Structures are given as structure tokens and as C-alpha cells.
Amino acid sequence: MGTVKNRLAEERDQLGNQLPLRTPFVLVVDPSSICNLRCRFCPSGYDDLIKKTGRQQKVMDLELFQKFVEQLLEFPEDIKVLRLYKEGEPLVNPNFEEMVACAKRSKKIKRIDTTTNGLLFSKERNRRIIDAGIDQINISVNGVSSQQMKYYTNREVDFQAYTENIRDLYQHKGDCLIYIKAIQDNLTEEEQEKFFDIFGEISDRIFLERLAPAWPDFEADCIPDSFETGHYGQKIEPRTVCPYIFYTIVVNADGSVSSCVGDWKHEQVLGDIKKESLYSIWNTTMRDMWLHHLKGCKDDYSMCRRCKVITHGCLDNIDDVKDNILKILEQDYES
């Protein structure tokens, strides 16, 4: 059976002691803002809601992705992780495999992963994805039967075919790590056991994550008003400075750059890689955002003011070293 631990369970260096960074540790790029499911607990599952935001529903052009990869050469260090997912289903993009291969060829990225619902796996596509060189695939399972998956995703799913395609992927995964997760809050204890029975033997790592308020201004009947633990089962702790923005930057499917993954409305856009380089955005508008957070002015950013990921989703806490980081940044500006 796969090891029972979350996808971020590796030993983590103290983030605060490494900041500020000249190169982000993690780049999040959205291959597709379009999803093939309509999940009850995700804003992308509500077409009318997305339409009101004015957010473009599209797949990222391969040419734009290639431009993104070329821009990485401006950063002084290699990128630790490229995460190919954000709002939609990555495999909706027909060029997903070529995006992985392109990123691998750059020699600028140490590790590439994605998160997928797994419905578009097939024997043929599984081979192409693995051959492209992806390092980790995280699979979000939304139930342990066809009926349960339809309830949570509002789509018909052949559960037996679904699990067989994941089994095939696992059997031909090569060096790729397969992580399978489900939402503990959506499963009874009996269903949780069934989840481990079905997927434990076809995963390297398996875990039951908790529901958490991942998106500001999004509410659904299946998401509770209060939470006992965070997304990974961690203790919920208050923070004044968001750690994510100091090591991660996000490129949407249309090339716009958001401050974080939580920007599902595209309301907190800091730039656009079609008009300026990612390196420039990291060192200007992103750095200005760091200063606001460090000076206790996080609420100057409306989305940050309303976000609960800072308390419910973060494993890092840099509040204790914020003055040291601020001092370094201010010295950089003076020089």
C-alpha cells in the first residue's frame, strides 16, 4: 500500500531564514481554466459564477507556454517546482504532454507536477504523459462509487473504468510519483476504508485531505462555516504575513500573473507575461506586495483581506522573522 502522508510531507527548511528570494521556489502555471467537472466545492463548478467574474475560460496556448519557459532564463537560480494546474482540469489542454516535455528540455526546472481529477487518463495518454517526463501526478478522487462521484462532481463517471485507468498509469509510471487524495469530510468511515482499499495499492502516496476555505468569496453548502483543522490536518494558527507570496508566483491560462492560487476571480493580477517578463513582475509588483505584508498592511490587498488560506492552508509561518526580511528588502532598495 502507498505511504499514508500528504503531498507536502517532506522535511521542510525554515522558509523565513531563506527570504527574500531572487528566484521563486514554486511556479504555478494553469494549462486550462476549463474543467470537465462541476464539483460542488469548487468555484469552477458554477458556470454562472465564473461568467460574472469575466474570467477567460481557455486553455493555455503552447506558444505562450514556450514563451514562459524562455523567460525563466532570467532568474539567477533554477526553479524547484513547476506546478501545472490551478483552476481547471490540466488534461483538458491537448498540449499538456508537450508542455511537460518543453519544461523538461529547458533544464531550468528541477521538478514538474500536476493535479488532475484523472478522468482523462487512458492507456495511450498515460504513456504520453509519463514519456514527457513528469515527476509527480496528484490525483483528486471525488468518491468511491459512480453514484458518489456524480453527486459531488455533477458528471456521470464509470468508476470501474476510472480506477482501471489509474491502475494502468501506476503500472507504467516509471520514476513518476503517484499521489492519490480524497476529501475526508465527504466520506463516511466505511467509505474512507474503501478509498484506501481501492487506491492504496495503485499509489505511492495516499492521503485524506480536509475541506478548507481555499477561495475568497466562494461559499457552498458542502463547505462548513468553521473548521477544526487545516487542509492537511494541521493546527489552525493566525498569521499576519502570507508565506505563499514569498516563494510562489502564479501564471493563469491567459498569461496574466496572479498573486496566488486563490485568485480564482483574477481580481489580484500583478502583470502579464505577454507584455513583461515574469522576472520583472517578481521583482516589482510582487516585491511591493511583500512589503505591504511585512509592514502589517496585508489588508491593502482586498483579496488578501478576505482570504482564509493564510490560516487554514499554510504549513509555513514567517511572522517571527518578518522584521528581518523587511530590513533586507529595504536595504536592497537603498542600494
Side-chain angles (χ1 to χ4, degrees), residues 14-19 237-243 246 293-296 310 315-328:
Q14 290 295 323
L15 176 66
N17 297 332
Q18 304 175 71
L19 302 179
E237 296 179 324
R239 293 170 174 82
T240 61
V241 181
C242 178
F246 287 84
H293 274 243
L294 293 168
K295 292 178 179 179
I310 189 172
L315 293 179
D316 299 293
N317 190 336
I318 62 174
D319 280 11
D320 290 344
V321 293
K322 63 181 180 180
D323 291 339
N324 293 336
I325 302 168
L326 179 59
K327 183 178 179 181
I328 296 171

Side-chain angles (χ1 to χ4, degrees), residues 31 83 194 223 251 285:
R83 297 215 155 104
K194 187 176 181 181
I223 300 178
V251 182
T285 49

Side-chain angles (χ1 to χ4, degrees), residues 49 98 261 322:
L49 185 62
E98 180 53 35
V261 174
K322 63 181 180 180

Side-chain angles (χ1 to χ4, degrees), residues 76-93:
E77 292 93 21
D78 290 346
I79 306 300
K80 288 190 174 183
V81 181
L82 171 63
R83 297 215 155 104
L84 291 174
Y85 70 93
K86 185 189 177 221
E87 293 157 357
E89 166 52 44
L91 299 189
V92 166
N93 192 321

